[in-house]
Amino acid sequence: AGNISVDATDSVVISGSGSGLISASFEFSSGDAGNISITAPSIVVENGGAISSNTGLSGDAGTITVKTDSLQLRSGGQITSRSLLEYPETPPSGTAGTVTVKGLANRAQSILIDGLGSGVFTDTEGQGEGGNITLNADNITIQHGGILSAKTSGTQASAIGGTITVNASQVQLDSGAAITANSNGVAHAGNINVTANDGLTMQNSSITTLVHPNNNG
């Protein structure tokens, strides 16, 4: 699938279910999904809007790179890069892509993930590796059920879950927020690395790496 590149001088707003920047490779296609690059001073993804690069067979999902001073994912807004199981008889062998959020110059000023269903997600459900998530910002707030999730439910040991890396001055998790790297398959879960130079605050929230009870990884 082709790449998507958006360069806006003011803002990007993606709002509403069915609205999104999407590059995918599905329906028994063996091609790769495309990469997505978005650059704007302000980016808002809300009300079920999405930025996604997903694959379902042998192709790899694309990378997603977001360059902005302010990113808001709210009311179910999502960024996803996943290798998904379409048909049980043909588990995907492609890898999930990486998701990177950073500033226009260096680090973003702020990242807000707010509300149930809102977040950044990578997932692998077959044989390929999961995607990494990297956030670089001065202030990162995840609240009201928002989530960073790098998951694997892969069928092979090669389907290692992605790593989540958070680099910030301040990180605040509140009201059911979560950063999670889980394995529900046979492969290892990924790692979580949080650097908060001026403090990490958590209230009714969690940072977890989990494996399924039947997984020996």
Side-chain angles (χ1 to χ4, degrees), residues 40-41 44 54 74 90 93 120 122 141 153 200 202 214:
V44 177
N54 301 327
R74 60 195 189 198
T90 55
S93 59
V120 181
T122 63
T141 301
S153 53
L200 166 66
M202 298 177 62
N214 294 327

Side-chain angles (χ1 to χ4, degrees), residues 28-29 55-59 83-95 124-128 153-156 158-159:
F28 287 105
S29 171
T55 185
L57 198 58
S58 60
S83 177
L84 300 175
L85 180 66
E86 284 192 279
Y87 306 98
E89 64 274 14
T90 55
S93 59
T95 62
T124 180
E125 297 181 347
Q127 303 170 17
S153 53
T155 57
Q156 301 292 328
S158 56

Side-chain angles (χ1 to χ4, degrees), residues 18-160:
S19 299
L21 302 176
I22 299 168
S23 183
S25 176
F26 283 127
E27 300 295 340
F28 287 105
S29 171
S30 60
D32 295 338
N35 301 322
I36 299 176
S37 175
I38 307 170
T39 302
S42 172
I43 298 173
V44 177
V45 185
E46 62 183 3
N47 300 322
I51 301 169
S52 67
S53 180
N54 301 327
T55 185
L57 198 58
S58 60
D60 295 333
T63 63
I64 298 175
T65 304
V66 177
K67 297 180 181 180
T68 185
D69 288 331
S70 172
L71 172 66
Q72 297 184 51
L73 306 177
R74 60 195 189 198
S75 303
Q78 296 187 355
I79 299 176
T80 69
S81 187
R82 301 176 292 190
S83 177
L84 300 175
L85 180 66
E86 284 192 279
Y87 306 98
E89 64 274 14
T90 55
S93 59
T95 62
T98 62
V99 176
T100 303
V101 181
K102 56 186 177 180
L104 295 176
N106 188 8
R107 295 198 303 195
Q109 294 174 7
S110 64
I111 296 173
L112 171 66
I113 301 175
D114 184 9
L116 288 172
S118 303
V120 181
F121 303 86
T122 63
D123 189 6
T124 180
E125 297 181 347
Q127 303 170 17
E129 294 184 1
N132 298 327
I133 298 171
T134 302
L135 304 185
N136 293 287
D138 292 332
N139 297 287
I140 296 175
T141 301
I142 307 173
Q143 60 188 18
H144 303 136
I147 189 169
L148 298 179
S149 173
K151 184 173 69 173
T152 175
S153 53
T155 57
Q156 301 292 328
S158 56
I160 300 169

